[in-house]
Amino acid sequence: MADPVTSASEVTQHLGALRERLARVGGDQVQVVAVTKGFGPETVVAAVGAGLMDVGENYAQELLAKADGVSEELDAEIRPRWHFIGRLQRNKIRKIAHLVDLWQSVDRIEAGVEIARRAPGARVLVQVDVAGIGERGGCPPTDTAQLVTGCQRAGLEVVGLMAVGEPGPPERARPGFRLLATQAADLGLSELSMGMSGDIEIAVEEGATMVRVGTALFGPRPR
């Protein structure tokens, strides 16, 4: 297994290749969220050095540890915009509420209410289970509108929807991504976070405004 990428120059090179992939399907303006799950703070520093200021984390404890490590390496005025993209546990929300810029995985009203309590007015995405894989998180598509409304009533700024594509060949993710885009349009939401290293082209073709990428930027995740 190749070593993970930990230098800004390497990340810049990989980001260039990623941007070319996005551009070929009309995704020049798509926002890239660098997913550093499983990597150390040095990878976050490398991402920021390559101009990737939006960083996604899956676990509260990893986010806390990396935020501390990164703050020691970067100038005080330079700070990543942390996206929380993993399963939300209510008892962990309070620990990271001061760090998270965008909560991407709100899939039940209890989590939304707790975020509103700890970070009033926070920006969130509602996660939808378009692939029918409950353990990966997301509310059923039939519940999307109700959850969006509930989060808004709790005082959150719901800016869009998020989904994880169906595993397997990239084309299998298309119907779910198309459903997510339709729901976002019906609800008047502008952000669509969908697509990862293996299926970003399909996601962009279906309207993604934001992709979450780890492997294509940093190589295999350390075990």
Side-chain angles (χ1 to χ4, degrees):
M1 182 181 295
D3 292 332
V5 174
T6 57
S7 75
S9 60
E10 288 179 291
V11 177
T12 299
Q13 182 179 355
H14 289 190
L15 177 59
L18 177 64
R19 289 291 188 195
E20 288 179 7
R21 288 176 62 187
L22 293 169
R24 284 196 289 269
V25 288
D28 305 76
Q29 302 303 312
V30 169
Q31 182 180 2
V32 175
V33 178
V35 178
T36 54
K37 170 188 174 183
F39 296 99
E42 68 278 0
T43 299
V44 179
V45 173
V48 171
L52 288 163
M53 301 304 296
D54 293 277
V55 178
E57 279 297 329
N58 290 67
Y59 302 112
Q61 290 305 120
E62 268 197 63
L63 173 53
L64 287 168
K66 285 178 195 174
D68 285 342
V70 167
S71 67
E72 296 174 2
E73 297 292 331
L74 297 174
D75 293 337
E77 66 273 13
I78 299 175
R79 174 184 175 276
R81 291 184 291 267
W82 296 104
H83 296 230
F84 194 80
I85 61 176
R87 298 296 299 270
L88 279 167
Q89 297 175 277
R90 287 181 62 191
N91 63 329
K92 300 291 179 63
I93 289 172
R94 64 178 178 82
K95 297 180 179 180
I96 58 174
H98 64 293
L99 292 171
V100 177
D101 291 278
L102 179 62
W103 304 82
Q104 290 213 22
S105 51
V106 179
D107 61 0
R108 61 198 189 283
I109 190 58
E110 293 82 4
V113 168
E114 184 65 14
I115 292 170
R117 179 185 173 201
R118 303 293 180 177
R123 298 173 69 246
V124 306
L125 304 179
V126 162
Q127 182 179 356
V128 184
D129 180 16
V130 298
I133 305 176
E135 63 267 22
R136 298 175 77 174
C139 71
T142 52
D143 294 350
T144 305
Q146 182 179 4
L147 182 53
V148 167
T149 299
C151 288
Q152 290 170 334
R153 287 175 176 167
L156 297 172
E157 182 184 358
V158 183
V159 296
L161 304 179
M162 182 270 247
V164 178
E166 184 173 344
E171 193 63 36
R172 289 179 61 176
R174 190 182 297 277
F177 290 159
R178 184 166 294 175
L179 171 62
L180 195 76
T182 297
Q183 289 199 322
D186 289 345
L187 294 166
L189 301 173
S190 60
E191 295 288 354
L192 274 175
S193 175
M194 56 190 194
M196 298 187 288
S197 293
D199 57 17
I200 56 170
E201 287 87 356
I202 302 299
V204 171
E205 288 173 355
E206 294 301 330
T209 63
M210 188 183 303
V211 292
R212 310 178 305 276
V213 181
T215 304
L217 291 170
F218 309 121
R221 186 173 296 120
R223 296 193 182 277

